[in-house]
C-alpha cells in the first residue's frame, strides 16, 4: 500500500554556508586548473599556422626534421647509436603523381633518305 | 610540332619552349625560307634561277645566293675528289629523273643512254662579277646541297632549343626537351616502319642517304637517284644506307652522299678523322656499323 507523507517548511534543514578545509582545497585546485587551461588555449590560438593549414596565407614553415642524407657530407654530424639500435630508414617516397606530359617530351626525329 | 611541305618532302619544326601559336608562326617564316630556296635553286621549276642557268650559254650573272651555293658545291667536289658532284643533272635527266619525284610515276619503257658529263670543277665562277660560265656538258643539280643549306638557314632562325627536319635532313639545336639530347631514329632501309638504332644528338645535324625511296625502272632496269659521277650511272654501292651526324646539315648531306658512293671501307676512312662527325653505315647484307662520334640511346 502506497502512503504519502506531508512535510512542512518548519521541518527542513537549513543550508550549510561553511566548507571544510578539504572542500576549499578542491575548489582552489579547480579554479587554478581552469585558468591554466584557458591560458593555453588562448596561447595556442596565436601560434602561426602550420604548413598545409587550410587557413594559411603565410609561407609554409620549414619542417624542423632533417634527414642526415639531406645534409652535405661535410655537415653531417657523427651519430653514435646504442648497440641494438638502428638508424631509421627514410620512408619510401610515394609513387609520383601523373602529370600532363609536356607537349615535346617524347619528340623524336626519324632520319631517312628522302 | 608543326609541319609543312617543301622540296617534295615534309618539313617538321619543333620548338619545345614555344606555344603552339608561336610554333606555327615560326614555321610560317621557315616555310618562306624553303620556298625561296626552291624558287631559286630547284631543277624542276623551269623559271628557277638554276634552271635558267642550266639553259644559258656563255657567262651569265647570278644572284649572290646562287653563287654562294655554287662556290660551296665546287669546294665539296674538290674535297671529295669529284665524288660529290652536282654536275650530274644531265645523267639524272637521261635516266628519267627529269621532274619532281613521284613514286610509281617515273617508270619509262626506255631511256636515253647516259652521256658523259663534265665536272663541277669545270664550271667557272667569278666572285668579282658574280658570274658563272657553265660548260654545255654540265647540267647542275643542287638538290641535296641546297636542302641541307636551307635546313641550316632555317634552324638558325630557331631559339636555342628546337629542330628542323626536312625529310630526314635535320638540324637539332640544344639538348632536347629534357636536356638529355634529341633522339633521332635511323630508319631501316628495308622496312620503313622500323628503325635500326636511335642516336642521341645535341647541337648537331643529321642526314641520311639511301636509294630505297627514289627508285624507278627505265629500259627494263632498276635505277635510283644516287649517281656515281665516275660511271655516270646509278651507283652500285656495298652500302644500303648511310647516315651522317655533322655540325651542319649541308656537311652531313654531302658526307652521307659521298660515303654511300665510295662504299663502306672508304666511308669509314673518310668519316673517322673528322671532328664532330660520326655515322651509321648499313651494309647491303644488313649489318649496321657505327663510325666515329655517335652516341646511341639504348631505349
Amino acid at each position: 500500500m502506497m502512503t504519502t507523507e506531508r512535510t512542512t517548511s518548519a521541518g527542513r534543514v537549513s543550508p550549510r554556508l561553511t566548507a571544510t578545509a578539504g572542500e576549499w582545497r578542491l575548489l582552489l585546485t579547480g579554479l587554478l586548473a581552469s585558468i591554466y587551461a584557458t591560458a593555453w588555449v588562448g596561447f595556442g590560438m596565436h601560434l602561426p599556422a602550420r604548413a598545409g593549414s587550410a587557413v594559411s596565407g603565410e609561407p609554409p614553415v620549414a619542417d624542423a626534421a632533417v634527414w642526415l642524407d639531406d645534409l652535405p657530407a661535410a655537415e653531417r654530424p657523427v651519430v653514435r647509436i646504442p648497440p641494438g639500435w638502428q638508424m631509421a630508414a627514410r620512408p619510401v617516397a610515394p609513387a609520383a603523381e601523373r602529370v600532363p606530359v609536356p607537349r615535346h617530351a617524347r619528340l623524336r626525329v626519324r632520319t631517312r633518305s628522302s | 610540332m608543326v609541319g609543312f611541305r617543301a622540296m617534295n618532302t615534309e618539313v617538321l619544326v619543333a620548338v619545345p619552349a614555344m606555344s603552339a601559336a608561336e610554333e606555327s608562326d615560326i614555321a610560317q617564316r621557315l616555310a618562306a625560307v624553303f620556298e625561296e630556296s626552291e624558287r631559286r635553286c630547284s631543277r624542276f621549276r623551269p623559271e628557277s634561277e638554276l634552271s635558267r642557268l642550266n639553259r644559258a650559254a656563255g657567262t651569265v650573272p647570278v644572284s649572290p645566293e646562287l653563287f654562294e651555293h655554287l662556290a660551296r658545291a665546287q669546294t665539296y667536289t674538290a674535297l671529295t675528289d669529284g665524288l660529290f658532284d652536282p654536275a650530274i643533272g644531265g645523267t639524272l635527266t637521261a635516266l628519267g629523273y627529269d621532274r619532281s619525284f613521284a613514286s610509281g610515276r617515273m617508270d619509262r619503257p626506255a631511256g636515253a643512254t647516259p652521256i658523259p658529263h663534265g665536272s663541277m670543277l669545270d664550271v667557272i665562277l667569278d666572285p668579282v662579277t658574280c658570274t658563272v660560265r657553265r660548260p654545255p656538258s654540265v647540267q647542275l643539280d643542287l638538290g641535296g646541297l641546297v636542302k641541307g643549306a636551307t635546313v641550316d638557314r632555317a634552324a638558325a632562325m630557331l631559339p636555342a632549343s628546337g629542330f628542323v627536319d626536312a625529310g630526314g635532313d635535320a638540324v637539332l639545336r640544344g639538348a632536347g626537351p629534357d636536356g638529355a639530347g634529341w633522339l633521332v631514329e635511323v630508319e631501316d632501309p628495308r622496312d620503313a616502319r622500323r628503325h635500326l638504332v636511335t642516336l642521341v644528338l645535341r647541337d648537331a645535324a643529321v642526314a641520311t642517304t639511301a636509294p630505297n625511296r627514289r627508285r624507278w625502272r627505265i629500259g627494263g632496269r632498276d635505277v635510283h637517284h644516287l649517281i656515281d659521277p665516275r660511271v655516270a650511272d646509278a651507283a652500285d654501292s656495298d652500302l644500303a644506307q648511310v647516315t651522317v651526324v655533322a655540325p651542319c646539315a649541308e656537311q652531313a648531306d654531302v658526307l652521307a652522299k659521298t660515303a654511300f658512293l665510295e662504299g663502306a671501307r672508304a666511308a669509314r676512312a673518310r668519316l673517322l678523322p673528322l671532328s664532330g662527325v660520326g655515322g651509321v653505315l648499313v651494309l647491303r647484307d644488313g649489318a649496321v656499323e657505327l663510325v666515329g662520334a655517335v652516341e646511341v640511346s639504348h631505349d
Side-chain angles (χ1 to χ4, degrees), chain B residues 10-154:
Chain B
E10 186 175 37
V11 182
L12 300 174
V13 179
V15 183
M18 283 186 166
S19 68
E22 291 170 325
E23 212 174 37
S24 293
D25 184 54
I26 200 163
Q28 290 281 349
R29 284 186 278 143
L30 300 196
V33 170
F34 275 83
E35 171 57 23
E36 191 214 331
S37 282
E38 213 169 353
R39 198 168 55 234
R40 192 184 302 282
C41 300
S42 172
R43 180 169 69 93
F44 306 118
R45 294 190 182 188
E47 75 284 5
S48 76
E49 193 178 3
L50 181 68
S51 292
R52 292 203 302 273
L53 175 61
N54 275 334
R55 290 193 299 267
T59 301
V60 293
V62 297
S63 66
E65 292 81 4
L66 179 57
F67 190 90
E68 274 294 309
H69 288 312
L70 295 170
R72 289 202 310 282
Q74 206 166 56
T75 302
Y76 288 128
T77 304
L79 287 173
T80 59
D81 302 319
L83 276 175
F84 177 86
D85 193 340
I88 49 146
T91 302
L92 284 168
T93 300
L95 289 174
Y97 192 6
D98 55 0
R99 57 206 137 135
S100 198
F101 189 84
S103 186
R105 287 189 285 166
M106 308 297 284
D107 297 353
R108 305 257 179 98
T113 306
I115 51 169
H117 55 74
S119 163
M120 185 69 210
L121 298 177
D122 300 330
V123 176
I124 298 168
L125 303 175
D126 185 342
V128 176
T129 56
C130 203
T131 55
V132 180
R133 185 176 178 84
R134 176 189 59 80
S137 62
V138 168
Q139 289 287 300
L140 296 165
D141 173 31
L142 295 174
L145 181 84
V146 165
K147 185 159 85 168
T150 307
V151 170
D152 287 330
R153 194 173 148 211

Side-chain angles (χ1 to χ4, degrees), chain A residues 2-114:
Chain A
M2 284 180 70
T3 62
T4 59
E5 182 181 354
R6 181 179 288 270
T7 59
T8 64
S9 59
R12 290 182 187 164
V13 179
S14 28
R16 178 166 55 91
L17 297 176
T18 56
T20 64
E23 287 171 334
W24 278 114
R25 270 200 300 273
L26 189 63
L27 182 66
L28 187 62
T29 303
L31 189 65
L32 287 172
S34 299
I35 293 169
Y36 186 77
T38 305
W40 267 111
V41 169
F43 177 68
M45 287 175 68
H46 288 89
L47 282 177
R50 297 281 301 182
S53 166
V55 295
S56 173
E58 301 169 16
V61 177
D63 196 337
V66 176
W67 289 90
L68 280 177
D69 53 6
D70 282 340
L71 295 171
E75 295 178 18
R76 288 178 197 169
V78 177
V79 179
R80 292 190 177 83
I81 55 175
W85 288 60
Q86 59 183 9
M87 301 287 281
R90 181 193 284 265
V92 176
E97 288 182 13
R98 287 186 68 85
V99 294
V101 177
R103 195 158 45 97
H104 296 275
R106 297 193 176 276
L107 274 183
R108 285 176 180 230
V109 173
R110 172 69 70 101
T111 186
R112 58 182 175 80
S113 177
S114 63

